[in-house]
Amino acid sequence: MSTKSASPTAVFDLDRPWCLDRRVAVRPEPFGALLYHFGTRRLTFLKDPTVLAVVRNLAEHPTARSACESAGVTAQALRAYERALATLAGSEMIRERDDL
Amino acid sequence: MAEVTALGTEQAGQATAIAEPIGPVADEALLADELLVEEISIDGMCGVY
């Protein structure tokens, strides 16, 4: 088993609507959560419970930014969460919603 | 006697130096602490439950 801290490959837009990919299973853990994508077979650790709250909030909020705010992410911490969401988007754990 | 003491001190100093992380590794550790997600590759791990 190899570990890597994946770096986001693209700029993540906090002001777009996002959601968890339907092929992703979420397993909450005391440290945060495990995400498993049945399509890509990727496993990702969420190392903070707040990140889990953000990911779970995504589908219910008009933007990723508001999902972060709803989860209690401060302005100072937002950049770190933006980076985390970009990593998740890069690994297809989350995707942009096609809200019409 | 003094020589032995000096050697002991030297070795203690070396041990301390080895225990301390070098600059790039320490910086990398700090960077890792800031990351909120970590991807794990499990390819090829058949039969792992």
Side-chain angles (χ1 to χ4, degrees):
Chain A
M1 182 170 73
S2 62
T3 64
K4 56 177 178 176
S5 299
S7 55
T9 54
V11 175
F12 183 83
D13 191 345
L14 277 170
D15 297 310
R16 293 285 302 155
W18 293 82
C19 65
L20 195 65
D21 192 290
R22 60 182 176 82
R23 294 165 292 178
V24 173
V26 179
R27 176 171 165 168
E29 294 288 344
F31 56 79
L34 291 171
L35 301 185
Y36 182 76
H37 194 300
F38 283 92
T40 62
R41 297 181 67 247
R42 281 174 164 166
L43 181 65
T44 298
F45 281 80
L46 301 186
K47 298 162 79 172
D48 183 276
T50 305
V51 181
L52 173 60
V54 169
V55 168
R56 282 177 154 171
N57 281 351
L58 285 175
E60 294 154 17
H61 285 262
T63 65
R65 188 184 301 275
S66 64
C68 289
E69 289 169 358
S70 173
V73 177
T74 62
Q76 293 83 357
L78 187 60
R79 182 157 174 77
Y81 284 84
E82 180 183 7
R83 216 163 36 229
L85 290 171
T87 300
L88 293 175
S91 60
E92 301 176 46
M93 293 290 182
I94 63 174
R95 59 174 180 80
E96 271 200 51
R97 291 202 319 259
D98 298 323
D99 286 352
L100 295 174
Chain B
M1 199 57 128
E3 202 176 313
V4 172
T5 305
L7 278 172
T9 306
E10 209 174 279
Q11 286 171 353
Q14 285 177 353
T16 305
I18 291 167
E20 290 172 354
I22 57 177
V25 173
D27 291 342
E28 205 172 303
L30 284 173
L31 186 62
D33 286 342
E34 296 175 2
L35 298 175
L36 297 170
V37 300
E38 187 169 348
E39 289 189 340
I40 308 295
S41 175
I42 58 173
D43 284 342
M45 295 183 72
C46 299
V48 174
Y49 301 98

